[in-house]
Coordinates of all heavy atoms in Angstrom, one line a residue:
M3 N 0.8 -1.2 0.0 CA 0.0 0.0 0.0 C 0.9 1.2 0.0 O 1.8 1.3 0.8 CB -0.9 0.0 1.2 CG -1.6 1.3 1.4 SD -3.1 1.1 2.4 CE -4.1 0.0 1.3
E4 N 0.6 2.1 -0.9 CA 1.4 3.3 -1.0 C 0.9 4.5 -0.2 O 1.6 5.2 0.4 CB 1.6 3.7 -2.5 CG 2.5 2.8 -3.2 CD 3.3 3.4 -4.3 OE1 3.2 4.6 -4.5 OE2 3.9 2.7 -5.0
R5 N -0.4 4.7 -0.3 CA -1.0 5.9 0.4 C -2.4 5.5 0.9 O -3.0 4.6 0.4 CB -1.1 7.1 -0.6 CG 0.2 7.7 -1.0 CD 0.0 8.9 -1.8 NE -0.4 8.6 -3.1 CZ -0.8 9.5 -4.0 NH1 -0.8 10.8 -3.7 NH2 -1.1 9.2 -5.2
V6 N -2.8 6.3 1.9 CA -4.1 6.1 2.5 C -4.8 7.4 2.7 O -4.1 8.4 2.9 CB -4.1 5.3 3.8 CG1 -3.5 3.9 3.6 CG2 -3.4 6.0 4.9
G7 N -6.1 7.5 2.7 CA -6.8 8.7 2.9 C -6.7 9.1 4.4 O -6.4 8.3 5.2
S8 N -7.1 10.4 4.6 CA -7.0 10.9 6.0 C -7.9 10.2 7.0 O -7.7 10.2 8.2 CB -7.2 12.4 6.0 OG -8.5 12.7 5.5
N9 N -9.0 9.6 6.5 CA -9.9 8.9 7.4 C -9.7 7.4 7.6 O -10.4 6.7 8.3 CB -11.4 9.2 7.0 CG -11.8 10.6 7.1 OD1 -11.4 11.3 8.0 ND2 -12.6 11.1 6.1
V10 N -8.7 6.9 6.9 CA -8.4 5.5 7.0 C -7.6 5.2 8.2 O -6.7 5.8 8.6 CB -7.6 5.0 5.7 CG1 -7.1 3.6 5.8 CG2 -8.4 5.3 4.5
S11 N -8.1 4.1 8.9 CA -7.5 3.8 10.2 C -7.0 2.3 10.3 O -6.3 2.0 11.2 CB -8.5 4.0 11.4 OG -9.6 3.2 11.2
T12 N -7.4 1.5 9.4 CA -7.1 0.1 9.6 C -5.8 -0.3 8.9 O -5.2 -1.4 9.1 CB -8.2 -0.8 9.1 OG1 -8.4 -0.5 7.7 CG2 -9.5 -0.6 9.9
V13 N -5.3 0.5 7.9 CA -4.1 0.2 7.2 C -3.3 1.4 7.1 O -3.8 2.5 7.2 CB -4.3 -0.5 5.8 CG1 -4.9 -1.9 5.9 CG2 -5.2 0.4 5.0
K14 N -2.0 1.3 6.8 CA -1.1 2.4 6.6 C -0.1 2.2 5.5 O 0.1 1.0 5.1 CB -0.4 2.7 7.9 CG 0.6 1.6 8.4 CD 1.2 1.9 9.7 CE 2.2 0.9 10.2 NZ 1.8 -0.5 10.1
P15 N 0.5 3.2 5.0 CA 1.5 3.0 3.9 C 2.6 2.0 4.3 O 3.0 2.0 5.5 CB 2.1 4.4 3.7 CG 1.0 5.3 4.1 CD 0.3 4.6 5.3
G16 N 2.9 1.1 3.4 CA 3.9 0.1 3.7 C 3.2 -1.3 4.1 O 3.9 -2.3 4.0
D17 N 2.0 -1.3 4.5 CA 1.3 -2.5 4.8 C 1.1 -3.3 3.5 O 0.9 -2.7 2.4 CB -0.1 -2.2 5.4 CG -0.1 -1.8 6.8 OD1 1.0 -2.0 7.5 OD2 -1.1 -1.3 7.3
H18 N 1.1 -4.6 3.6 CA 0.7 -5.5 2.5 C -0.8 -5.7 2.6 O -1.3 -6.0 3.7 CB 1.5 -6.8 2.6 CG 2.9 -6.7 2.2 ND1 3.8 -7.7 2.0 CD2 3.7 -5.6 2.0 CE1 5.0 -7.3 1.7 NE2 4.9 -6.0 1.7
V19 N -1.4 -5.6 1.5 CA -2.9 -5.8 1.5 C -3.3 -6.6 0.3 O -2.6 -6.7 -0.7 CB -3.6 -4.4 1.4 CG1 -3.3 -3.6 2.7 CG2 -3.3 -3.7 0.2
A20 N -4.5 -7.2 0.4 CA -5.2 -7.9 -0.7 C -6.5 -7.1 -0.9 O -7.0 -6.5 0.1 CB -5.5 -9.3 -0.4
L21 N -7.0 -7.0 -2.1 CA -8.3 -6.3 -2.3 C -9.4 -7.2 -2.6 O -9.3 -8.2 -3.3 CB -8.1 -5.4 -3.5 CG -7.0 -4.3 -3.4 CD1 -6.8 -3.5 -4.7 CD2 -7.2 -3.4 -2.2
S22 N -10.6 -6.9 -2.0 CA -11.8 -7.6 -2.2 C -12.8 -6.8 -3.0 O -12.5 -5.7 -3.4 CB -12.3 -8.1 -0.9 OG -13.4 -8.9 -1.1
F23 N -14.0 -7.3 -3.1 CA -15.1 -6.5 -3.7 C -15.6 -5.4 -2.8 O -15.3 -5.4 -1.7 CB -16.2 -7.5 -4.1 CG -16.9 -8.1 -2.9 CD1 -17.9 -7.5 -2.2 CD2 -16.4 -9.3 -2.4 CE1 -18.5 -8.0 -1.1 CE2 -17.0 -9.9 -1.2 CZ -18.0 -9.2 -0.6
S24 N -16.3 -4.5 -3.4 CA -16.8 -3.4 -2.7 C -18.2 -3.6 -2.2 O -19.0 -4.3 -2.8 CB -16.9 -2.1 -3.6 OG -17.2 -1.0 -2.8
A25 N -18.5 -3.1 -1.0 CA -19.9 -3.2 -0.4 C -20.1 -1.9 0.4 O -19.2 -1.3 0.8 CB -20.0 -4.4 0.6
C26 N -21.4 -1.5 0.5 CA -21.7 -0.2 1.1 C -21.4 -0.1 2.6 O -21.0 0.9 3.1 CB -23.1 0.2 0.8 SG -24.4 -0.6 1.8
G27 N -21.6 -1.2 3.3 CA -21.4 -1.2 4.7 C -22.5 -0.6 5.5 O -22.4 -0.6 6.8
H28 N -23.6 -0.2 4.9 CA -24.7 0.5 5.6 C -26.0 -0.2 5.4 O -26.9 0.0 6.2 CB -24.8 1.9 5.1 CG -23.5 2.7 5.2 ND1 -23.0 3.0 6.4 CD2 -22.7 3.2 4.3 CE1 -21.9 3.7 6.2 NE2 -21.6 3.8 4.9
C29 N -26.2 -1.0 4.4 CA -27.5 -1.7 4.1 C -27.7 -2.8 5.1 O -26.8 -3.2 5.9 CB -27.6 -2.2 2.7 SG -26.6 -3.7 2.3
E30 N -28.9 -3.3 5.2 CA -29.3 -4.4 6.1 C -28.4 -5.6 5.9 O -27.9 -6.2 6.9 CB -30.7 -4.8 5.9 CG -31.2 -5.8 6.9 CD -32.7 -6.1 6.7 OE1 -33.4 -5.2 6.3 OE2 -33.1 -7.3 7.1
N31 N -28.1 -6.0 4.7 CA -27.2 -7.2 4.5 C -25.8 -6.9 5.0 O -25.2 -7.8 5.6 CB -27.3 -7.5 3.0 CG -28.6 -8.0 2.5 OD1 -29.5 -8.4 3.3 ND2 -28.9 -7.9 1.3
C32 N -25.3 -5.8 4.7 CA -23.9 -5.5 5.2 C -23.9 -5.5 6.7 O -23.0 -6.0 7.3 CB -23.4 -4.1 4.6 SG -22.9 -4.2 2.9
L33 N -24.8 -4.8 7.3 CA -24.8 -4.7 8.8 C -25.1 -6.0 9.4 O -24.7 -6.2 10.6 CB -25.9 -3.7 9.2 CG -25.6 -2.2 8.8 CD1 -26.8 -1.3 9.1 CD2 -24.3 -1.7 9.4
S34 N -25.7 -7.0 8.7 CA -25.9 -8.3 9.3 C -24.7 -9.3 9.0 O -24.8 -10.5 9.2 CB -27.2 -8.9 8.9 OG -27.2 -9.2 7.5
G35 N -23.6 -8.7 8.4 CA -22.4 -9.5 8.2 C -22.4 -10.2 6.8 O -21.7 -11.2 6.7
H36 N -23.2 -9.8 5.9 CA -23.3 -10.4 4.6 C -23.0 -9.4 3.5 O -23.9 -9.1 2.6 CB -24.7 -11.1 4.4 CG -24.9 -12.1 5.4 ND1 -25.6 -11.8 6.6 CD2 -24.6 -13.4 5.5 CE1 -25.7 -12.9 7.3 NE2 -25.0 -13.9 6.7
P37 N -21.8 -8.9 3.4 CA -21.5 -7.9 2.4 C -21.6 -8.4 1.0 O -21.7 -7.6 0.0 CB -20.1 -7.4 2.7 CG -19.5 -8.5 3.5 CD -20.7 -9.1 4.2
S38 N -21.5 -9.7 0.8 CA -21.5 -10.3 -0.6 C -23.0 -10.2 -1.2 O -23.1 -10.4 -2.4 CB -21.1 -11.7 -0.6 OG -21.9 -12.5 0.2
T39 N -23.9 -9.8 -0.3 CA -25.3 -9.6 -0.8 C -25.7 -8.2 -0.6 O -26.9 -7.8 -0.5 CB -26.3 -10.6 -0.2 OG1 -26.3 -10.4 1.3 CG2 -26.0 -12.0 -0.5
C40 N -24.7 -7.3 -0.5 CA -25.0 -5.8 -0.4 C -26.0 -5.4 -1.4 O -25.9 -5.7 -2.6 CB -23.7 -5.1 -0.5 SG -23.9 -3.3 -0.6
E41 N -26.9 -4.5 -0.9 CA -27.9 -4.0 -1.8 C -27.3 -3.1 -2.9 O -28.0 -2.8 -3.9 CB -29.0 -3.2 -1.0 CG -29.7 -4.1 -0.1 CD -30.6 -3.3 0.9 OE1 -30.7 -2.1 0.8 OE2 -31.2 -3.9 1.8
M42 N -26.1 -2.6 -2.7 CA -25.5 -1.7 -3.7 C -24.4 -2.5 -4.4 O -23.6 -1.9 -5.2 CB -24.8 -0.5 -3.0 CG -25.8 0.4 -2.3 SD -26.9 1.2 -3.5 CE -25.8 2.2 -4.4
L43 N -24.3 -3.8 -4.3 CA -23.2 -4.6 -4.9 C -23.0 -4.3 -6.4 O -21.9 -4.1 -6.8 CB -23.5 -6.1 -4.6 CG -22.3 -7.0 -4.9 CD1 -21.2 -6.8 -3.8 CD2 -22.7 -8.4 -5.1
N44 N -24.0 -4.4 -7.2 CA -23.9 -4.2 -8.6 C -23.4 -2.7 -8.9 O -22.5 -2.6 -9.7 CB -25.2 -4.5 -9.4 CG -25.4 -5.9 -9.5 OD1 -24.5 -6.7 -9.5 ND2 -26.6 -6.3 -9.6
D45 N -24.0 -1.8 -8.3 CA -23.6 -0.4 -8.5 C -22.1 -0.1 -8.1 O -21.4 0.5 -8.9 CB -24.5 0.6 -7.7 CG -25.9 0.6 -8.3 OD1 -26.1 0.3 -9.4 OD2 -26.8 1.0 -7.5
L46 N -21.7 -0.6 -7.0 CA -20.4 -0.4 -6.5 C -19.3 -1.2 -7.2 O -18.2 -0.7 -7.3 CB -20.3 -0.7 -5.0 CG -21.2 0.2 -4.1 CD1 -21.1 -0.3 -2.6 CD2 -20.7 1.7 -4.2
N47 N -19.6 -2.3 -7.7 CA -18.6 -3.2 -8.3 C -18.6 -3.1 -9.9 O -17.6 -3.4 -10.5 CB -18.7 -4.6 -7.9 CG -18.4 -4.7 -6.4 OD1 -17.2 -4.7 -6.1 ND2 -19.4 -4.8 -5.5
F48 N -19.7 -2.7 -10.4 CA -19.8 -2.7 -11.9 C -20.3 -1.4 -12.4 O -20.5 -1.2 -13.6 CB -20.8 -3.8 -12.3 CG -20.4 -5.2 -11.8 CD1 -21.2 -5.8 -10.8 CD2 -19.2 -5.8 -12.2 CE1 -20.8 -7.0 -10.3 CE2 -18.8 -7.0 -11.6 CZ -19.6 -7.6 -10.7
G49 N -20.5 -0.4 -11.6 CA -21.0 0.9 -12.0 C -19.9 1.9 -12.3 O -20.1 3.0 -12.8
G50 N -18.6 1.5 -12.0 CA -17.5 2.3 -12.4 C -17.1 3.5 -11.5 O -16.2 4.2 -11.8
V51 N -17.8 3.6 -10.4 CA -17.5 4.7 -9.5 C -17.2 4.2 -8.1 O -17.5 3.0 -7.7 CB -18.6 5.7 -9.4 CG1 -18.8 6.4 -10.8 CG2 -19.9 5.0 -9.0
M52 N -16.6 5.0 -7.3 CA -16.4 4.7 -5.9 C -17.7 4.8 -5.1 O -18.7 5.2 -5.6 CB -15.3 5.7 -5.3 CG -14.0 5.7 -6.0 SD -13.0 4.2 -5.8 CE -12.6 4.4 -4.0
N53 N -17.6 4.5 -3.8 CA -18.8 4.4 -3.0 C -19.5 5.8 -2.9 O -20.7 5.9 -2.7 CB -18.5 4.0 -1.6 CG -17.9 2.6 -1.6 OD1 -17.2 2.2 -2.5 ND2 -18.2 1.8 -0.5
D54 N -18.7 6.9 -3.0 CA -19.3 8.2 -3.0 C -19.8 8.7 -4.4 O -20.2 9.9 -4.5 CB -18.4 9.2 -2.3 CG -17.1 9.4 -3.1 OD1 -16.9 8.8 -4.2 OD2 -16.2 10.2 -2.6
G55 N -19.7 7.9 -5.4 CA -20.2 8.2 -6.7 C -19.1 8.9 -7.5 O -19.4 9.3 -8.7
T56 N -17.9 9.1 -7.0 CA -16.9 9.8 -7.8 C -15.9 8.8 -8.4 O -15.9 7.6 -8.1 CB -16.1 10.7 -6.9 OG1 -15.4 9.9 -5.9 CG2 -16.9 11.7 -6.2
K57 N -15.2 9.3 -9.4 CA -14.1 8.5 -10.0 C -12.8 9.1 -9.5 O -12.6 10.3 -9.4 CB -14.2 8.6 -11.5 CG -15.4 7.9 -12.1 CD -15.4 8.0 -13.6 CE -16.7 7.3 -14.1 NZ -16.7 7.2 -15.6
R58 N -11.9 8.2 -9.1 CA -10.6 8.7 -8.5 C -9.4 8.4 -9.3 O -8.3 8.8 -8.9 CB -10.4 8.0 -7.1 CG -11.6 8.1 -6.2 CD -11.4 9.3 -5.2 NE -12.6 9.5 -4.5 CZ -12.9 8.8 -3.4 NH1 -12.2 7.9 -2.9 NH2 -14.0 9.1 -2.7
I59 N -9.6 7.8 -10.4 CA -8.4 7.5 -11.3 C -8.5 8.4 -12.5 O -9.5 8.4 -13.2 CB -8.4 6.0 -11.7 CG1 -8.4 5.1 -10.5 CG2 -7.2 5.8 -12.6 CD1 -8.6 3.7 -10.8
H60 N -7.5 9.2 -12.6 CA -7.4 10.2 -13.7 C -6.1 10.2 -14.4 O -5.1 9.8 -13.8 CB -7.6 11.7 -13.1 CG -8.7 11.8 -12.3 ND1 -9.9 12.3 -12.7 CD2 -8.9 11.6 -10.9 CE1 -10.8 12.3 -11.7 NE2 -10.2 11.9 -10.6
K61 N -6.1 10.5 -15.7 CA -4.9 10.7 -16.4 C -5.1 12.0 -17.3 O -6.0 12.0 -18.1 CB -4.5 9.6 -17.3 CG -3.1 9.8 -18.0 CD -2.7 8.5 -18.7 CE -1.3 8.8 -19.3 NZ -0.8 7.6 -20.0
N62 N -4.4 13.0 -16.9 CA -4.7 14.3 -17.5 C -6.1 14.7 -17.2 O -6.5 14.7 -16.1 CB -4.3 14.3 -19.0 CG -2.9 14.0 -19.2 OD1 -2.0 14.4 -18.5 ND2 -2.6 13.2 -20.3
D63 N -6.9 15.0 -18.2 CA -8.3 15.3 -17.9 C -9.3 14.2 -18.1 O -10.5 14.3 -18.0 CB -8.8 16.5 -18.8 CG -8.0 17.8 -18.5 OD1 -7.6 17.9 -17.3 OD2 -7.9 18.6 -19.4
V64 N -8.8 13.0 -18.3 CA -9.6 11.8 -18.6 C -9.8 11.0 -17.3 O -8.9 10.7 -16.5 CB -9.0 10.9 -19.6 CG1 -9.8 9.6 -19.9 CG2 -8.7 11.6 -20.9
E65 N -11.1 10.7 -17.0 CA -11.4 9.9 -15.8 C -11.6 8.5 -16.2 O -12.1 8.2 -17.3 CB -12.8 10.4 -15.2 CG -12.7 11.8 -14.5 CD -14.0 12.1 -13.9 OE1 -15.1 11.8 -14.5 OE2 -14.0 12.6 -12.7
F66 N -11.1 7.6 -15.4 CA -11.2 6.2 -15.6 C -12.1 5.5 -14.6 O -12.1 5.9 -13.4 CB -9.9 5.5 -15.6 CG -9.0 5.9 -16.7 CD1 -8.1 7.0 -16.5 CD2 -9.0 5.3 -18.0 CE1 -7.3 7.4 -17.6 CE2 -8.2 5.7 -19.0 CZ -7.4 6.8 -18.8
S67 N -12.9 4.6 -15.0 CA -13.8 3.9 -14.1 C -13.1 2.8 -13.4 O -12.2 2.2 -13.9 CB -15.0 3.3 -15.0 OG -15.7 4.3 -15.6
T68 N -13.6 2.5 -12.2 CA -13.1 1.4 -11.4 C -13.9 0.1 -11.7 O -15.0 0.3 -12.3 CB -13.2 1.6 -9.9 OG1 -14.5 1.9 -9.6 CG2 -12.3 2.8 -9.5
F69 N -13.4 -1.0 -11.4 CA -14.1 -2.3 -11.7 C -14.0 -3.1 -10.4 O -12.9 -3.3 -9.9 CB -13.6 -3.0 -12.9 CG -14.3 -4.3 -13.1 CD1 -15.6 -4.4 -13.6 CD2 -13.6 -5.5 -12.9 CE1 -16.2 -5.6 -13.8 CE2 -14.2 -6.7 -13.1 CZ -15.5 -6.8 -13.5
F70 N -15.0 -3.7 -10.0 CA -15.0 -4.6 -8.8 C -14.5 -3.9 -7.6 O -13.9 -4.5 -6.7 CB -14.3 -5.9 -9.1 CG -14.8 -7.1 -8.4 CD1 -16.1 -7.5 -8.6 CD2 -14.0 -7.8 -7.6 CE1 -16.6 -8.6 -8.0 CE2 -14.5 -9.0 -7.0 CZ -15.8 -9.3 -7.2
G71 N -14.7 -2.6 -7.5 CA -14.2 -1.9 -6.3 C -12.7 -1.7 -6.2 O -12.2 -1.4 -5.1
Q72 N -12.0 -2.0 -7.2 CA -10.5 -2.1 -7.1 C -9.8 -1.8 -8.4 O -8.7 -1.2 -8.4 CB -10.1 -3.4 -6.5 CG -10.6 -4.6 -7.3 CD -10.3 -5.9 -6.7 OE1 -9.3 -6.5 -7.0 NE2 -11.2 -6.3 -5.8
S73 N -10.2 -2.4 -9.5 CA -9.5 -2.3 -10.8 C -8.1 -2.9 -10.6 O -7.1 -2.3 -10.9 CB -9.4 -0.9 -11.3 OG -10.6 -0.4 -11.6
S74 N -8.0 -4.1 -10.1 CA -6.8 -4.7 -9.7 C -5.9 -5.1 -10.9 O -4.7 -5.5 -10.6 CB -7.0 -6.0 -8.9 OG -7.8 -6.9 -9.6
F75 N -6.3 -5.0 -12.1 CA -5.4 -5.3 -13.2 C -4.5 -4.1 -13.5 O -3.5 -4.2 -14.3 CB -6.1 -5.6 -14.5 CG -6.7 -7.0 -14.4 CD1 -8.1 -7.2 -14.5 CD2 -5.9 -8.1 -14.3 CE1 -8.7 -8.4 -14.4 CE2 -6.5 -9.4 -14.2 CZ -7.8 -9.5 -14.3
G76 N -4.7 -2.9 -12.9 CA -3.9 -1.8 -13.1 C -2.6 -1.9 -12.2 O -2.5 -2.7 -11.3
T77 N -1.7 -1.0 -12.5 CA -0.4 -0.9 -11.7 C -0.8 -0.4 -10.3 O -0.2 -0.9 -9.3 CB 0.6 0.0 -12.4 OG1 0.9 -0.5 -13.7 CG2 1.9 0.1 -11.6
Y78 N -1.7 0.5 -10.3 CA -2.2 1.0 -9.0 C -3.7 0.9 -8.9 O -4.4 0.9 -10.0 CB -1.8 2.5 -8.9 CG -0.3 2.8 -8.8 CD1 0.4 3.1 -9.9 CD2 0.3 2.6 -7.6 CE1 1.8 3.3 -9.8 CE2 1.7 2.9 -7.5 CZ 2.4 3.2 -8.6 OH 3.8 3.4 -8.5
A79 N -4.2 0.8 -7.7 CA -5.6 0.7 -7.5 C -6.1 1.7 -6.5 O -5.3 2.0 -5.5 CB -6.0 -0.7 -7.1
V80 N -7.2 2.3 -6.6 CA -7.8 3.1 -5.6 C -9.0 2.3 -5.1 O -9.9 1.9 -5.8 CB -8.3 4.4 -6.2 CG1 -9.0 5.3 -5.1 CG2 -7.2 5.2 -6.8
S81 N -9.0 2.1 -3.8 CA -10.0 1.2 -3.2 C -10.6 1.8 -1.9 O -9.9 2.6 -1.2 CB -9.4 -0.2 -3.0 OG -10.4 -1.1 -2.6
N82 N -11.8 1.4 -1.6 CA -12.3 1.8 -0.3 C -11.7 1.0 0.8 O -11.4 -0.2 0.7 CB -13.9 1.6 -0.3 CG -14.6 2.1 0.9 OD1 -14.4 1.6 2.0 ND2 -15.3 3.2 0.7
E83 N -11.5 1.6 2.0 CA -11.0 0.9 3.1 C -11.7 -0.4 3.4 O -11.1 -1.4 3.9 CB -11.0 1.8 4.4 CG -10.4 1.2 5.6 CD -10.4 2.2 6.8 OE1 -11.2 3.2 6.7 OE2 -9.6 2.0 7.7
R84 N -13.0 -0.4 3.2 CA -13.8 -1.6 3.5 C -13.4 -2.8 2.7 O -13.6 -4.0 3.2 CB -15.3 -1.3 3.3 CG -16.3 -2.3 3.8 CD -17.7 -1.8 3.7 NE -18.0 -0.5 3.2 CZ -18.0 0.6 3.9 NH1 -17.7 0.6 5.1 NH2 -18.4 1.7 3.3
N85 N -12.9 -2.7 1.5 CA -12.5 -3.8 0.8 C -11.0 -4.0 0.7 O -10.5 -4.7 -0.3 CB -13.2 -3.9 -0.6 CG -13.1 -2.6 -1.4 OD1 -13.4 -1.5 -0.9 ND2 -12.6 -2.7 -2.7
V86 N -10.3 -3.5 1.6 CA -8.9 -3.7 1.8 C -8.6 -4.7 2.9 O -9.1 -4.4 4.0 CB -8.1 -2.4 2.0 CG1 -6.7 -2.6 2.3 CG2 -8.3 -1.5 0.8
V87 N -7.9 -5.7 2.7 CA -7.6 -6.7 3.7 C -6.1 -6.7 4.0 O -5.3 -7.0 3.1 CB -8.0 -8.1 3.3 CG1 -7.7 -9.1 4.4 CG2 -9.5 -8.1 3.0
K88 N -5.7 -6.3 5.2 CA -4.3 -6.3 5.6 C -3.8 -7.8 5.7 O -4.5 -8.6 6.3 CB -4.1 -5.6 6.9 CG -2.6 -5.4 7.3 CD -2.5 -4.6 8.6 CE -1.1 -4.5 9.0 NZ -1.0 -3.7 10.3
V89 N -2.6 -8.0 5.1 CA -2.1 -9.4 5.2 C -0.7 -9.4 5.8 O 0.0 -8.3 5.8 CB -2.1 -10.1 3.8 CG1 -3.5 -10.2 3.3 CG2 -1.2 -9.3 2.8
D90 N -0.2 -10.5 6.3 CA 1.1 -10.6 6.8 C 2.1 -10.4 5.7 O 2.0 -10.9 4.6 CB 1.2 -12.0 7.4 CG 2.5 -12.1 8.3 OD1 3.6 -12.0 7.8 OD2 2.3 -12.3 9.5
K91 N 3.2 -9.7 6.1 CA 4.2 -9.4 5.1 C 5.0 -10.6 4.7 O 5.7 -10.6 3.7 CB 5.2 -8.3 5.6 CG 4.5 -6.9 5.7 CD 5.5 -5.9 6.1 CE 4.8 -4.5 6.1 NZ 5.7 -3.4 6.5
D92 N 4.9 -11.7 5.4 CA 5.6 -12.9 5.0 C 4.9 -13.7 3.9 O 5.5 -14.6 3.3 CB 5.8 -13.9 6.2 CG 6.7 -13.3 7.3 OD1 7.5 -12.4 6.9 OD2 6.5 -13.7 8.5
V93 N 3.7 -13.3 3.6 CA 2.9 -14.0 2.6 C 3.2 -13.5 1.2 O 3.2 -12.2 1.0 CB 1.4 -13.9 2.9 CG1 0.6 -14.7 1.8 CG2 1.1 -14.5 4.3
D94 N 3.4 -14.3 0.3 CA 3.7 -13.9 -1.1 C 2.5 -13.3 -1.8 O 1.5 -13.9 -2.0 CB 4.1 -15.2 -1.9 CG 4.6 -14.8 -3.3 OD1 4.4 -13.7 -3.8 OD2 5.3 -15.7 -3.9
L95 N 2.6 -12.0 -2.1 CA 1.4 -11.3 -2.6 C 1.0 -11.8 -4.0 O -0.2 -11.7 -4.4 CB 1.7 -9.8 -2.8 CG 1.9 -9.0 -1.4 CD1 2.3 -7.6 -1.7 CD2 0.5 -9.1 -0.7
R96 N 1.9 -12.5 -4.7 CA 1.5 -13.1 -6.0 C 0.5 -14.2 -5.8 O -0.3 -14.5 -6.7 CB 2.7 -13.6 -6.7 CG 3.7 -12.5 -7.1 CD 5.0 -13.1 -7.7 NE 5.6 -13.9 -6.6 CZ 6.8 -14.6 -6.8 NH1 7.4 -14.5 -8.0 NH2 7.3 -15.2 -5.8
L97 N 0.5 -14.8 -4.6 CA -0.5 -15.9 -4.3 C -1.8 -15.3 -3.9 O -2.9 -15.9 -4.0 CB 0.1 -16.8 -3.3 CG 1.4 -17.5 -3.6 CD1 1.9 -18.4 -2.4 CD2 1.2 -18.4 -4.8
L98 N -1.8 -14.1 -3.3 CA -3.0 -13.5 -2.7 C -3.8 -12.7 -3.7 O -5.0 -12.6 -3.6 CB -2.7 -12.6 -1.5 CG -2.0 -13.3 -0.3 CD1 -1.7 -12.2 0.7 CD2 -2.9 -14.3 0.2
G99 N -3.1 -12.2 -4.8 CA -3.8 -11.4 -5.7 C -5.1 -12.0 -6.3 O -6.1 -11.3 -6.4
P100 N -5.0 -13.2 -6.8 CA -6.2 -13.8 -7.4 C -7.4 -14.0 -6.4 O -8.5 -14.2 -6.8 CB -5.7 -15.2 -7.9 CG -4.3 -15.0 -8.0 CD -3.9 -14.1 -6.9
L101 N -7.1 -14.0 -5.1 CA -8.2 -14.3 -4.1 C -9.2 -13.1 -4.1 O -10.4 -13.4 -3.8 CB -7.6 -14.4 -2.7 CG -6.7 -15.6 -2.5 CD1 -6.2 -15.6 -1.1 CD2 -7.4 -16.9 -2.8
G102 N -8.8 -11.9 -4.5 CA -9.7 -10.8 -4.4 C -10.8 -10.8 -5.5 O -11.8 -10.1 -5.3
C103 N -10.6 -11.5 -6.5 CA -11.7 -11.5 -7.6 C -11.9 -12.9 -8.1 O -13.0 -13.5 -7.9 CB -11.2 -10.6 -8.7 SG -12.4 -10.5 -10.1
G104 N -10.9 -13.5 -8.7 CA -11.1 -14.8 -9.3 C -11.6 -15.9 -8.4 O -12.6 -16.6 -8.7
K105 N -11.0 -16.0 -7.2 CA -11.4 -17.1 -6.3 C -12.8 -16.8 -5.7 O -13.5 -17.8 -5.6 CB -10.3 -17.1 -5.1 CG -10.6 -18.1 -4.1 CD -10.6 -19.5 -4.6 CE -10.8 -20.5 -3.5 NZ -11.1 -21.9 -3.9
Q106 N -13.1 -15.6 -5.4 CA -14.4 -15.3 -4.9 C -15.5 -15.6 -5.9 O -16.5 -16.1 -5.6 CB -14.5 -13.9 -4.4 CG -13.6 -13.6 -3.1 CD -13.8 -12.2 -2.6 OE1 -14.9 -11.7 -2.6 NE2 -12.7 -11.7 -2.2
A107 N -15.2 -15.2 -7.1 CA -16.2 -15.4 -8.2 C -16.4 -16.9 -8.4 O -17.5 -17.4 -8.6 CB -15.7 -14.8 -9.5
A108 N -15.3 -17.7 -8.3 CA -15.4 -19.2 -8.5 C -16.2 -19.8 -7.4 O -16.9 -20.7 -7.6 CB -14.0 -19.8 -8.6
E109 N -16.1 -19.2 -6.2 CA -16.8 -19.8 -5.0 C -18.3 -19.5 -5.2 O -19.1 -20.2 -4.6 CB -16.3 -19.1 -3.7 CG -14.9 -19.5 -3.4 CD -14.8 -21.0 -3.0 OE1 -15.7 -21.6 -2.4 OE2 -13.7 -21.6 -3.4
Q110 N -18.7 -18.5 -6.0 CA -20.1 -18.2 -6.2 C -20.8 -19.2 -7.1 O -22.0 -19.3 -7.2 CB -20.3 -16.8 -6.7 CG -19.8 -15.7 -5.8 CD -20.6 -15.7 -4.5 OE1 -21.8 -15.8 -4.5 NE2 -19.9 -15.5 -3.4
C111 N -20.0 -19.9 -7.9 CA -20.5 -20.9 -8.9 C -21.0 -22.2 -8.3 O -20.6 -22.6 -7.3 CB -19.5 -21.1 -10.0 SG -19.1 -19.6 -10.9
Ligands
LIG203 ZN1 -24.4 -2.9 1.7

């Protein structure tokens, strides 16, 4: 992790993290511990914007959409604190990367 926002408290620069899908954290399903059935799941993961409706990835004047709350195929990702999972620095990040999207999607099948 390179940088964190001013309100982020669970991770800090230098931490190793894996990224998961995005969930609102406020709907009934999220509050009951079931973020995978978040009422905003489709909008947050496939709508191309962050939880606050903005786009945070820019190049010059062009805005880029996020995907699955992370856009993990990019060199850098902008993600909500809620879908960032801090991991031990001894774990090979190359092994954890696929867990944030591919493995979770496969588990849904
Ligand atoms: Zn939710």
